[in-house]
Amino acid sequence: MSSPDRPLTLVLVGPMASGKTSIGRKVARILDVPFVDTDKRIVAAHGPIAQIFAEHGEGHFRALEREAVAQAVTEGGVVSLGGGAVTDVGTRTLLAQHPVVFLTVSADAVAARIGGSSRPLLNGDDDPVARWRTIFEQRRGWYEELADLTVDTSRRPMRAMAEEIASWRKDHP
Ligand code: S3P
């Protein structure tokens, strides 16, 4: 899937706070390819995610996300998606054509990572970890269906996980 003028592609999916951005950036550095975070692209072009959800709804955000994913996989490199990208059938169709790593994480490990979150889907009156868990369970089947490799990010050092993912990608051209 890579060519002399286009870097290899690798997509990271997984629930909110599973480490997609931090690990993705490290994997890209190891593989010496560009890194794209589709959420950051959307924010740069359209403003804060919470505002997009509030003003235009989740459906509009998913359409922007689908466009951002399509553009990113065309460019190549390591691409980290927002946790809910897999809920969109068009995005799933795009992802089926690329190597996908599913970063999974336990609710215990996530509890320490989502405090003061700006994620609109975790804001509300109820416990954010309970909310996170419900959302993850709704999406788990899609992550598993798309995954070519699954890595649990609950406990291991970032660097070790990034190296494992990069060497897996090298072995799966
Ligand atoms: C979302 C996850 C967020 C972001 C948006 C919606 C989701 O990205 O795309 O808030 O639906 O799970 P992270 O997975 O990077 O938190």
Side-chain angles (χ1 to χ4, degrees):
M1 246 166 280
S2 62
S3 68
D5 48 5
R6 206 182 62 143
L8 61 77
T9 303
L10 178 64
V11 182
L12 302 190
V13 300
M16 290 176 265
S18 56
K20 299 179 295 289
T21 301
S22 316
I23 296 173
R25 191 174 283 120
K26 285 187 168 51
V27 174
R29 209 171 292 142
I30 296 167
L31 292 172
D32 194 24
V33 297
F35 172 68
V36 176
D37 178 314
T38 54
D39 276 347
K40 291 213 165 58
R41 284 233 172 135
I42 294 166
V43 170
H46 304 281
I49 291 174
Q51 196 177 322
I52 299 172
F53 268 69
E55 289 177 6
H56 304 285
E58 182 173 349
H60 180 69
F61 176 75
R62 296 301 169 208
L64 297 177
E65 188 170 48
R66 190 188 323 123
E67 280 170 30
V69 174
Q71 175 63 31
V73 295
T74 303
E75 292 166 18
V78 175
V79 182
S80 289
L81 308 191
V86 299
T87 62
D88 182 90
V89 64
T91 299
R92 291 201 300 278
T93 303
L94 283 166
L95 297 186
Q97 301 157 35
H98 297 280
V100 173
V101 179
F102 167 28
L103 298 184
T104 187
V105 62
S106 69
D108 283 350
V110 122
R113 304 184 192 173
I114 58 174
S117 179
S118 61
R119 297 170 170 103
L121 294 180
L122 297 183
N123 293 336
D125 295 335
D126 53 348
D127 170 20
V129 178
R131 204 179 257 249
W132 175 91
R133 196 193 292 264
T134 302
I135 294 171
F136 185 18
E137 288 314 324
Q138 287 163 353
R139 298 170 176 172
R140 185 189 290 277
W142 284 316
Y143 295 132
E144 289 176 350
E145 186 183 298
L146 289 164
D148 298 297
L149 174 72
T150 300
V151 175
D152 186 336
T153 71
S154 305
R155 296 187 188 287
R156 292 169 59 205
M158 292 264 184
R159 177 83 208 168
M161 294 186 286
E163 274 164 6
E164 179 192 336
I165 294 166
S167 71
W168 175 85
R169 182 62 181 87
K170 284 183 198 156
D171 290 344
H172 293 80

